[in-house]
């Protein structure tokens, strides 16, 4: 809530993938953020028919100069000082990552208080690295280092610190030295037969934890949703424990709705807004 007691309405630029069908990238982040109360300007890095989990897929990469043009024209319509945050997600082209880094610098020059959350979408424990190595290095070198908040999964966190076998909690000090003041590690327990899914947040040498029951469902977009929800709730209170608790609760609510409704994809626009009941 604002100081005047009005609903919090941040203005966020979301730069990530976009699909025609399904819940991933901007199709996950934008409806969720809008449901929570944000104004969102969505800039696609790729445009796909659906996520790669289906038998067929079509689409195109958005050329880096097109992404640059979209971002430049946005700032001609919406001054940098009117932006609250920048959210970045799936970027599989090194040149596009460079364009986004330059955009962050440009906005920060005019608006030093801008908050940048980088979700370094590069791979997972099931598939390994799923963007080109050059793009992954650029994401780590040019975006993660500019972030106030990062939200890697375990695979991505290990990639960032260069330690493929290190345990989750041992990543804490290394992640905190990667550039971001806050690091949120998502999806812990998914690679094992755990009864709960853990999400850890690291800030100023402290580790915070939230857990939710593991459901018999593995849809796409959960990481994109968690990153967007965490950003919104952190902007609202500037409190890591609150943002962690609420964002995990938001994602679990959508997962439960998908299970109950036998949904093929998560539907973030249908999020039921309610107080968190997740453990911390």
């Amino acid at each position: 809530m604002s100081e005047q007691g009005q609903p919090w309405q941040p203005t966020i630029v979301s730069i990530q993938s976009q699909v025609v069908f399904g819940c991933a990238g901007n199709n996950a982040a934008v409806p969720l953020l809008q449901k929570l109360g944000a104004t969102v300007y969505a800039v696609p890095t790729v445009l796909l028919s659906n996520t790669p989990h289906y038998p067929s897929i079509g689409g195109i990469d958005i050329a880096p100069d097109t992404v640059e043009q979209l971002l430049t024209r946005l700032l001609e319509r919406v001054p940098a000082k009117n932006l609250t945050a920048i959210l970045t997600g799936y970027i599989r082209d090194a040149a596009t990552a460079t364009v986004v880094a330059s955009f962050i610098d440009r906005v920060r020059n005019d608006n030093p208080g801008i908050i940048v959350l980088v979700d370094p979408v590069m791979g997972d424990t099931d598939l390994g690295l799923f963007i080109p190595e050059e793009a992954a290095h650029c994401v780590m070198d040019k975006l993660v280092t500019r972030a106030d908040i990062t939200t890697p999964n375990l695979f991505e966190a290990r990639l960032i610190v260069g330690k493929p076998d290190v345990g989750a909690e041992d990543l804490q000090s290394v992640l905190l030295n990667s550039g971001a003041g806050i690091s949120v590690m998502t999806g812990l327990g998914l690679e094992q037969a755990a009864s709960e899914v853990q999400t850890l947040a690291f800030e100023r040498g402290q580790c915070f934890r939230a857990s939710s029951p593991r459901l018999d469902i593995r849809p796409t977009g959960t990481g994109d949703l968690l990153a967007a929800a965490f950003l919104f709730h952190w902007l609202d209170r500037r409190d890591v424990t609150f943002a962690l608790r609420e964002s995990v609760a938001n994602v679990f609510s959508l997962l439960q709705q998908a299970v109950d409704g036998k949904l093929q994809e998560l539907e973030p626009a249908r999020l039921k807004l309610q107080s968190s009941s997740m453990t911390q």
Side-chain angles (χ1 to χ4, degrees):
M1 301 290 286
S2 69
E3 292 181 2
Q4 292 76 31
Q6 298 299 315
W8 172 238
Q9 295 180 302
T11 300
I12 298 169
V13 181
S14 179
I15 309 168
Q16 50 189 314
S17 61
Q18 191 163 318
V19 295
V20 176
F21 174 83
C23 178
N26 278 329
N27 295 70
V30 174
L32 177 64
L33 287 168
Q34 290 174 333
K35 182 75 172 182
L36 291 170
T39 296
V40 191
Y41 299 110
V43 178
T45 56
V46 298
L47 179 60
L48 302 173
S49 58
N50 46 263
T51 61
H53 299 77
Y54 291 92
S56 60
I57 189 171
I60 59 170
D61 286 63
I62 307 300
D65 59 345
T66 300
V67 174
E68 182 176 27
Q69 185 179 65
L70 294 173
L71 293 169
T72 297
R73 296 296 173 262
L74 172 62
L75 290 182
E76 292 173 359
R77 310 285 91 78
V78 183
K81 65 180 182 180
N82 291 349
L83 300 176
T84 312
I86 298 169
L87 168 64
T88 76
Y90 183 73
I91 297 173
R92 68 183 184 191
D93 185 288
T96 299
T98 300
V99 165
V100 174
S102 296
F103 174 73
I104 292 170
D105 291 345
R106 180 179 175 185
V107 173
R108 271 211 172 114
N109 185 60
D110 293 334
N111 180 3
I114 194 77
I115 297 300
V116 176
L117 187 151
V118 171
D119 184 11
V121 182
M122 298 180 288
D124 59 32
T125 53
D126 293 334
L127 300 174
L129 187 68
F130 52 55
I131 65 172
E133 285 191 20
E134 181 186 8
H137 285 298
C138 207
V139 167
M140 291 186 285
D141 294 342
K142 296 188 176 182
L143 296 182
V144 169
T145 55
R146 285 171 165 81
D148 299 292
I149 306 168
T150 59
T151 57
N153 60 31
L154 182 58
F155 174 88
E156 293 155 350
R158 287 169 170 164
L159 194 63
I160 289 169
V161 304
K163 297 184 176 182
D165 299 318
V166 68
E169 296 199 30
D170 292 334
L171 285 166
Q172 175 180 349
S173 60
V174 189
L175 277 176
L176 290 174
N177 291 326
S178 67
I182 301 169
S183 290
V184 181
M185 201 183 316
T186 64
L188 301 175
L190 290 175
E191 74 282 358
Q192 304 166 346
S195 60
E196 292 185 327
V197 177
Q198 303 283 334
T199 304
L200 304 182
F202 305 123
E203 182 191 35
R204 300 192 187 109
Q206 292 183 287
C207 177
F208 307 96
R209 183 189 306 269
S211 62
S212 58
R214 181 172 182 167
L215 301 176
D216 188 20
I217 182 174
R218 284 291 299 271
T220 61
T222 53
D224 303 324
L225 291 166
L226 191 286
F230 185 91
L231 176 60
F232 180 90
H233 293 300
W234 189 85
L235 290 170
D236 185 12
R237 300 282 185 90
R238 305 291 169 124
D239 183 301
V240 169
T241 57
F242 172 80
L244 180 63
R245 183 175 65 246
E246 293 300 312
S247 57
V248 169
N250 289 159
V251 176
F252 180 77
S253 175
L254 291 170
L255 288 167
Q256 189 66 65
Q257 286 181 46
V259 170
D260 293 345
K262 297 181 173 57
L263 303 178
Q264 188 175 11
E265 295 276 353
L266 299 181
E267 298 184 7
R270 297 176 59 182
L271 174 68
K272 296 177 181 176
L273 298 180
Q274 56 190 10
S275 180
S276 160
S277 61
M278 296 298 100
T279 60
Q280 180 185 335

